[in-house]
Amino acid sequence: MEAPAIIWNENMQRFETEDKAAFLEYRLIRPAAAADRKGEVSAESPSVEEEGKGDRTVMDMLHTFVPRSKRGMGLAKHLCVAAFSHAQSRSMLVIPTCSYISDTFLPQNPSWSPLVYNEEFRSSM
């Protein structure tokens, strides 16, 4: 089976299939900016390349959804790989809030674990 096309919908802060039926929602957080605007990053915020290491953007992966009619096709995994690849290419860390990501995807794909935000990074942020 051919891998489905996954599209980054920056305005909606999600990765989605072409038909928009399956998606992974996220929000961007800059921990050092938590006092301003609740730490959320907007289009006007500096890019990751412009930010210092102590002000790294974190992608909080909130929810993964695949409709019943499309379950069992590996779409959730493809959505996760697209989101983790996106975060990695932009030097972001990830918070796996979504239970599918934390309980299923990461244990089955431990190579992505180094991107996961944890307490060790907090002191440098």
Side-chain angles (χ1 to χ4, degrees):
M1 181 176 154
E2 186 177 318
I6 303 298
I7 298 161
W8 174 37
N9 185 336
E10 184 176 12
N11 291 333
M12 297 284 296
Q13 291 194 325
R14 64 191 222 169
F15 292 86
E16 57 196 20
T17 52
E18 286 182 297
D19 63 3
K20 302 180 187 323
F23 57 86
L24 183 154
E25 293 178 322
Y26 67 89
R27 70 179 175 139
L28 298 179
I29 304 168
R30 232 186 11 235
D36 324 342
R37 296 181 301 160
K38 299 180 183 175
E40 293 187 21
V41 178
S42 69
E44 295 81 37
S45 299
S47 69
V48 173
E49 291 79 20
E50 296 167 354
E51 297 170 355
K53 287 184 181 177
D55 197 23
R56 240 170 128 175
T57 301
V58 176
M59 180 184 279
D60 185 358
M61 296 184 184
L62 303 169
H63 180 62
T64 304
F65 175 77
V66 176
R68 286 192 192 280
S69 62
K70 296 188 178 215
R71 292 184 186 163
M73 300 168 60
L75 291 177
K77 179 180 179 178
H78 288 290
L79 290 163
C80 290
V81 168
F84 272 84
S85 296
H86 178 86
Q88 183 178 49
S89 71
R90 287 162 177 75
S91 300
M92 294 180 191
L93 295 174
V94 169
I95 298 173
T97 299
C98 169
S99 61
Y100 168 78
I101 297 169
S102 62
D103 299 346
T104 304
F105 178 77
L106 284 170
Q108 291 176 0
N109 300 275
S111 63
W112 292 110
S113 294
L115 292 181
V116 175
Y117 175 86
N118 60 45
E119 293 299 318
E120 292 174 31
F121 291 107
R122 183 168 284 178
S123 62
S124 65
M125 295 185 131

